[in-house]
Amino acid sequence: MYSGIYPGSFDPVTYGHIDIIKRAAAVMDHLIVAVLKNNGKTPLFSVDERVNMLKEVTKDLKNVEIMSFSGLLVNFAKEHGVKVIVRGLRAVTDFEYELLMSQTNRVMDPDIDTIFFTTDLEYAYLSSSIVREIASYGGDISKFVPECIQKQIKDKLSK
Ligand code: ADP
């Protein structure tokens, strides 16, 4: 079975992430979307909230499973018998960091490879941090995240 892990913060999930999830799930038997715990950033949403939001937006994708993990991604991948990491590339600014992560992961576990999906041009500018920032000023985020996520962002920011 050809499986992959798509790791990230997903704080919150955007149409950019959803595009990568759909495209990766279309070429794999099984895709685990893995929400990173304790990554040093102070998140807007808790890990459980992010997991639930991802479950909601992927409910129609039968071969996609949502999980969370802490510690090293290569260990999490090994525990689940997965050898392929999926990441998205938006622009050259992503490249340097992604190259470094992918090479580091291979040094730690040579059985693991990273494959990259280039972003759909429609979402090339889109990031969770931009969504959080625009939402914090009361801006319209309907082009960036699905309706159910918009509502949760608004609720969270109004607290
Ligand atoms: P991280 O903190 O690991 O970067 P993110 O949730 O910001 O977590 O991103 C997870 C992955 O999704 C990364 O590979 C990132 O490049 C990719 N990604 C984020 N936004 C987009 C987008 N708009 N289009 C394509 N890939 C994206």
Side-chain angles (χ1 to χ4, degrees):
M1 190 154 96
Y2 182 38
S3 311
I5 290 185
Y6 178 34
S9 309
F10 306 104
D11 185 35
V13 61
T14 69
Y15 280 133
H17 298 127
I18 295 169
D19 175 56
I20 302 292
I21 292 171
K22 283 185 180 157
R23 287 160 60 197
V27 296
M28 288 174 178
D29 297 310
H30 184 63
L31 179 71
I32 298 174
V33 180
V35 180
L36 177 61
K37 286 183 198 169
N38 309 330
N39 56 351
K41 301 176 193 166
T42 311
L44 179 62
F45 290 99
S46 71
V47 170
D48 287 346
E49 286 169 328
R50 285 179 268 156
V51 165
N52 286 334
M53 288 191 286
L54 278 158
K55 282 187 178 162
E56 207 168 335
V57 298
T58 60
K59 61 178 187 292
D60 295 331
L61 300 169
K62 298 298 170 220
N63 60 338
V64 173
E65 189 178 2
I66 315 297
M67 296 182 138
S68 62
F69 76 105
S70 53
L72 290 176
L73 178 61
V74 287
N75 293 344
F76 179 76
K78 192 165 245 170
E79 277 164 30
H80 291 85
V82 178
K83 293 183 175 173
V84 175
I85 295 170
V86 170
R87 294 285 285 176
L89 277 180
R90 282 162 291 191
V92 275
T93 42
D94 280 341
F95 181 77
E96 206 170 336
Y97 175 73
E98 293 295 341
L99 181 67
L100 193 138
M101 284 307 300
S102 139
Q103 288 170 336
T104 309
N105 284 334
R106 271 188 67 74
V107 170
M108 288 191 286
D109 188 339
D111 286 339
I112 291 202
D113 256 307
T114 305
I115 62 171
F116 295 98
F117 286 80
T118 50
T119 179
D120 189 301
L121 275 180
E122 199 181 341
Y123 306 123
Y125 61 89
L126 186 51
S127 68
S128 299
S129 59
I130 282 187
V131 172
R132 291 196 303 270
E133 179 141 1
I134 294 175
S136 74
Y137 295 114
D140 177 7
I141 51 168
S142 58
K143 291 206 172 83
F144 311 142
V145 300
E147 207 172 326
C148 59
I149 307 297
Q150 275 179 61
K151 191 179 169 317
Q152 291 178 65
I153 297 172
K154 279 181 194 150
D155 288 352
K156 175 67 84 177
L157 290 171
S158 68
K159 275 181 193 149

